[in-house]
Amino acid sequence: MSRHLPKKRFGQNFLSNEIIIHQIINVIHPGPQDHLIEIGPGLGAITLPLLPCVAKLDAIELDRDIIPLLSSKTMTLGNIEIHQQDALKLELQQFTSKAASLRIVGNLPYNISTPLLFHLFEQKQWIMDMHFMLQKEVGLRLSAHPGSKQYGRLSVMAQYHCQIEALLEVPPHAFTPAPKVDSLFIRLQPIQPSLLAHNIVKLDEVVKTAFSQRRKTLHNALKKIISREQLISLDIDPNKRAEELTVDNFVKISNIF
Ligand code: SAH
């Protein structure tokens, strides 16, 4: 048994339920050609079962103390390289020169999950797919469809880049120590948006403004930036609310600027 006291500041909640771990491996469905990047491998809860199934696994771990433990556990199991690195500074080009070649996985430290996702969206040309454990509430917002309560800025901005599916709900007792919140395991697959945004920053601004007053009609919420007539000319009903608009609708609006 390795001795390692979980560190709160690194968001260390180690997966410890074998059934859940098995389900996670199943939905990732690793194959012999796969090149995996694992974010936050920790003591190897999912690294150990994944490693023998894939061609290469690059593990990105910030906590220096964990690396020798992980290294001794995994050495003989497959082709692994462990990088002591902050995932928020990850440059995927360091691992591949082939488009859509990397499969990214991780039981993420929940405090960095949203910034990390957006950091990865910027490099999505290298990514085949991503599988992440997240705080349930964040996972629900990411995968929410128009019209639902959770649909908001995070849903629109993430779904501009990826198709997102909620796969498994995971209770706190599947982890050691148990986190205070429920978790959700999700899949993200990079997509070519059906309508390209001329400027992502502008898109984000429009989405943020529209949802900052989610109870108001779109016309009212966006009054300062677009007129009722302009909305109608884009084929968007000005009496709708932000939560009823599709990603394409928001892109259309942002593209007039
Ligand atoms: N995958 C393991 C550990 C999950 S806990 C399991 O399921 O049991 C989250 C892991 O991410 C910890 O090992 C923590 O040290 C690591 N981590 C935290 N912040 C990180 C960062 N910025 N970059 C890379 N790894 C990080």
Side-chain angles (χ1 to χ4, degrees), residues 10-15 38 40-42 45 60-63 66 85-87 107 109 112:
F10 288 134
Q12 292 179 352
N13 298 98
F14 300 115
L15 269 165
E38 186 184 351
I60 316 298
E61 175 57 61
L62 186 59
D63 184 356
I66 276 190
Q85 206 178 323
D86 181 352
N107 166 19
I112 66 159

Side-chain angles (χ1 to χ4, degrees), residues 46-65:
I46 61 171
T47 325
L48 300 180
L50 284 171
L51 186 53
C53 308
V54 301
K56 172 91 205 274
L57 192 154
D58 283 286
I60 316 298
E61 175 57 61
L62 186 59
D63 184 356
R64 284 172 200 284
D65 298 342

